[in-house]
Amino acid sequence: MTGTTILAIDLGKYKCVACAYDRATTAAEFRTITTSRAEVQRLIRTAGPAAVVIEACSLAGWVHDLCGELGVPCKVANTAAEAWKYKHAKRKTDRDDALRLAQLEALGQLPEVVVPAKPVREWRALIAHRQALVGQRVAAQNRVRAVLVGQGLPAPRGAKTWTATGLAGIAQFVKPLAECGPDELWRGMLDLALTAYRQAEELVAIAEARLDQLGRADRRVRLLESVPGLGPRTAEAVVAHLDDPKRFRSGRQVAAYAGLVLPRADHQARPGRPPQAAGPVRLGDAPVQPMGAGRVREAQPGQGPPQAGGGGAGSQGPGEVLGHAAGRAAVAGRPGPGAGGRGLTTVRTRR
């Protein structure tokens, strides 16, 4: 291999397809390897490429870090870009994807995304994991209600239901499933549901304790928590997902990246302005927690997630706080200059 070689890798859960593409001759060689750190490292050392190109996916983080350790530039393609839409490909295979990565890089047309540092990626993953645990807790609460309602008993409602006193009241109906007769299996199912709730509650508490430690150590999170209506869960989600605000040129781009800006009806008609689209991050779906609240208010069954609403005059949102010191440097993966809106508005709690 030579210094003109581009190594494009289509990453898969079990197998990866690599394309060694020569810029000068446009010759392409393909190879399939097992998805593992050792195999990818061996492939990069053998190919000796000028650059490695991969798609944005759950595996991109450690591959990007590995390339950094080996001293090889790594570019991560934005798979939400126009070139990756299925309608533009007559055929879609792993080889086709790897070859397209290499060709776009050779033409200088590869749409890139920013890869955060590993601590930031781990932080984001913990936030998402905590949210998944909250979902398990809500599911267990719903199972408790369903079992009781199925027996003609009142459905527990309100926050007091899940206090020590409320749980003790529910526990009077439970019985180990192995000891239940054929006509009282519901008591055993209630016992299982209550046990699942307590386990989920404990896991959520462990995750939130660690997130609280990370938040207290981050100046940006503490700054956002000073905004009325923003609690630790929302503040950490905003900081972790926006990461470095200097990669945005304005608060409008922050809002577009966060998915809090809707397309304007007249946007297509304005010459020289690309279509506006919401970014990959959906901060509007982040849980909302008021200042001083003990727990994020979760969405109830039949309701949507907490919404990000418009603030009043003089309101200051997280996008304005984080984007205040934003520079003008262009960064790959940044929303286009056509992003509209007036920055993030104040996140309001649901009443």
Side-chain angles (χ1 to χ4, degrees), residues 61-62 64-65 69 115-125:
W62 67 264
H64 183 273
D65 294 343
E69 296 172 6
V115 179
K118 184 173 177 57
V120 177
R121 300 200 307 268
E122 295 291 326
W123 192 11
R124 293 180 181 181

Side-chain angles (χ1 to χ4, degrees), residues 6-348:
I6 300 172
L7 181 62
I9 308 176
D10 183 70
L11 300 171
K13 184 184 297 183
Y14 305 109
K15 298 287 184 181
C16 298
V17 176
C19 173
Y21 185 86
D22 193 300
R23 292 176 185 265
T25 65
T26 68
E29 298 179 8
F30 296 92
R31 180 180 175 185
T32 301
I33 63 173
T34 302
T35 303
S36 69
R37 185 181 181 89
E39 287 291 323
V40 174
Q41 180 175 350
R42 187 179 300 111
L43 173 66
I44 296 175
R45 291 187 181 277
T46 302
V52 173
V53 186
I54 57 177
E55 292 180 347
C57 61
S58 59
L59 308 178
W62 67 264
V63 176
H64 183 273
D65 294 343
L66 177 61
C67 291
E69 296 172 6
L70 298 176
V72 179
C74 180
K75 298 185 178 182
V76 181
N78 178 14
T79 54
E82 189 72 14
W84 263 259
K85 288 188 177 180
Y86 187 78
K87 65 180 181 180
H88 299 309
K90 295 182 180 179
R91 184 183 66 180
K92 182 174 174 59
T93 65
D94 292 343
R95 284 197 172 199
D96 294 331
D97 288 345
L99 180 59
R100 183 174 9 174
L101 283 170
Q103 291 174 337
L104 288 176
E105 169 60 16
L107 294 173
Q109 298 179 358
L110 187 75
E112 296 182 56
V113 295
V114 175
V115 179
K118 184 173 177 57
V120 177
R121 300 200 307 268
E122 295 291 326
W123 192 11
R124 293 180 181 181
L126 180 56
I127 291 173
H129 189 71
R130 176 258 170 199
Q131 193 65 15
L133 293 174
V134 169
Q136 295 176 16
R137 183 177 66 189
V138 173
Q141 291 173 328
N142 290 336
R143 286 195 295 271
V144 169
R145 293 189 182 99
V147 172
L148 292 175
V149 170
Q151 298 301 315
L153 298 172
R157 63 178 65 184
K160 293 183 178 180
T161 300
W162 312 108
T163 62
T165 302
L167 292 175
I170 298 176
Q172 65 179 322
F173 299 107
V174 305
K175 190 175 182 180
L177 186 59
E179 302 175 7
C180 294
D183 58 345
E184 56 179 3
L185 293 177
W186 68 272
R187 296 182 183 274
M189 291 186 289
L190 182 63
D191 183 39
L192 296 178
L194 208 56
T195 300
Y197 168 78
R198 291 193 174 105
Q199 292 175 344
E201 175 74 4
E202 181 180 356
L203 295 177
V204 169
I206 294 173
E208 289 184 348
R210 184 60 178 133
L211 285 172
D212 288 340
Q213 291 178 353
L214 296 173
R216 287 193 296 268
D218 194 294
R219 180 184 61 83
R220 299 167 298 173
V221 174
R222 297 197 304 270
L223 176 62
L224 272 182
E225 287 188 63
S226 66
V227 178
L230 288 182
R233 300 289 79 85
T234 304
E236 69 194 12
V238 171
V239 173
H241 286 90
L242 294 186
D243 195 17
D244 181 12
K246 293 184 178 180
R247 62 193 179 101
F248 299 96
R249 293 188 298 182
S250 66
R252 295 180 181 181
Q253 290 192 348
V254 173
Y257 177 80
L260 299 180
V261 176
L262 297 177
R264 293 207 313 236
D266 65 334
H267 201 78
Q268 289 279 10
R270 301 181 65 178
R273 301 287 294 277
Q276 175 184 341
V281 177
R282 302 297 302 180
L283 293 181
D285 296 337
V288 177
Q289 179 177 8
M291 291 293 294
R295 177 186 296 173
V296 177
R297 173 154 48 171
E298 309 301 342
Q300 298 298 317
Q303 299 178 347
Q307 300 296 314
S315 63
Q316 186 181 38
E320 299 173 37
V321 174
L322 290 180
H324 180 70
R328 304 287 296 182
V331 177
R334 186 191 65 229
R342 299 183 60 83
L344 297 182
T345 54
T346 301
V347 178
R348 300 184 299 182

